[in-house]
Amino acid sequence: MVAPFKVLNVAEKNDAAKNIAEIMSGGHSNRREGLSRFNKIYEYQYMVQGTQANMVMTSVSGHLLNMEFPEQFRKWWSCHPVQLFDLPVEKGVKEENMMNIKKSLEKEVRGCKLLIIWTDCDREGENIGMEVVTVCRAINRGIKVLRAKFSEITRPSIERAMRTLGQINENVSAAVDCRMELDLRIGAAFTRFQTMRLQKMFPNNLSDKLISYGSCQFPTMGFVVERYKAIENFT
């Protein structure tokens, strides 16, 4: 008799991991603590592509990695703002809890033959899934990766997802990375430029003020101002 193989399953949030494990295990999963107190680990057995498997289900908490400039360029006066459009960027773990999640994934992926991604089936979910893949493959280079695609956390949807496991879409993930990089470069460059410029022009009023810029922030501010003017001019 062939011994069950170990499969690591990763969802986007702890609630999703808990509910998916509840469905797949028929309510008989064993819960244990991970290195992050917010992201539990659920263990149970399940048939995966015709073979009995020891399933380990856990989660991240949204994006695991942040896109940043290298350490030497994070201080405001470290370079001219224009250089921020050309400097290299890197993705890494910033927050303490995210570091604990990363360490938990690194621990659990050891000895696994398969990684199943259960993140949300949208662009951000695909990117979060690729972040999980990156972290796990740094420890277990040969692990096979499959993508579970589901529209809701119900028994029919989860069982269908297990029958139709496919490949993660790296192109969709790359599109999200591109958007994140643009947001970082544009936001950092213009925020630094206009803050330093305006502080110099109006030292009495803005010497200790941050004048931030964001590609979503400015249009949103425009909507607020437009609505304010409409209310003020209402007759």
Side-chain angles (χ1 to χ4, degrees), residues 26-41:
H28 299 291
S29 65
N30 296 315
R31 193 189 86 172
R32 59 182 171 87
E33 297 297 315
L35 298 178
S36 165
R37 64 189 181 94
F38 303 108
N39 304 83
K40 311 302 181 182
I41 297 173

Side-chain angles (χ1 to χ4, degrees), residues 9 15 43 56 81 93 95 107 114 117 130 147 150 155 170 200-201 220 232:
N9 300 261
D15 283 350
E43 296 179 313
V56 177
V93 179
E95 300 174 19
K107 178 182 177 183
L114 175 63
I117 301 298
M130 277 305 302
R147 176 69 155 109
F150 58 103
R155 183 172 298 281
E170 295 187 31
K200 188 174 181 180
M201 292 176 65
T220 302
E232 288 294 301

Side-chain angles (χ1 to χ4, degrees), residues 183-230:
D183 287 347
L184 173 64
R185 293 187 185 279
I186 294 170
F190 279 96
T191 295
R192 290 190 194 185
F193 173 77
Q194 67 185 13
T195 297
M196 292 187 290
R197 177 65 173 167
L198 293 174
Q199 283 179 347
K200 188 174 181 180
M201 292 176 65
F202 306 102
N204 294 332
N205 298 317
L206 300 176
S207 61
D208 60 346
K209 303 296 184 183
L210 171 70
I211 317 298
S212 66
Y213 179 92
S215 54
C216 294
Q217 174 182 318
F218 259 52
T220 302
M221 184 183 298
F223 295 145
V224 173
V225 172
E226 184 179 342
R227 181 59 178 163
Y228 172 79
K229 287 182 175 179

Side-chain angles (χ1 to χ4, degrees), residues 77-138:
W77 299 98
S78 61
C79 65
H80 192 284
V82 172
Q83 290 182 262
L84 296 175
F85 288 105
D86 297 311
L87 290 173
V89 294
E90 55 194 24
K91 292 188 83 172
V93 179
K94 188 175 182 181
E95 300 174 19
E96 180 181 354
N97 185 56
M98 295 303 176
M99 181 59 73
N100 290 333
I101 294 172
K102 178 176 180 286
K103 290 179 179 178
S104 192
L105 292 175
E106 291 171 341
K107 178 182 177 183
E108 297 301 328
V109 78
R110 297 182 189 277
C112 287
K113 301 294 185 184
L114 175 63
L115 169 64
I116 301 179
I117 301 298
W118 290 89
T119 50
D120 294 350
C121 294
D122 54 23
R123 280 177 167 249
E124 294 298 322
E126 212 72 6
N127 189 260
I128 293 168
M130 277 305 302
E131 292 174 354
V132 171
V133 172
T134 298
V135 168
C136 290
R137 279 192 167 152

Side-chain angles (χ1 to χ4, degrees), residues 147-192:
R147 176 69 155 109
K149 296 184 178 180
F150 58 103
S151 57
E152 58 186 6
I153 302 179
T154 59
R155 183 172 298 281
S157 184
I158 297 304
E159 290 179 348
R160 187 183 311 112
M162 285 301 298
R163 291 195 303 269
T164 58
L165 292 171
Q167 301 300 313
I168 195 164
N169 192 325
E170 295 187 31
N171 290 334
V172 169
S173 176
V176 175
D177 277 340
C178 181
R179 189 264 306 161
M180 292 172 69
E181 183 175 338
L182 285 171
D183 287 347
L184 173 64
R185 293 187 185 279
I186 294 170
F190 279 96
T191 295
R192 290 190 194 185

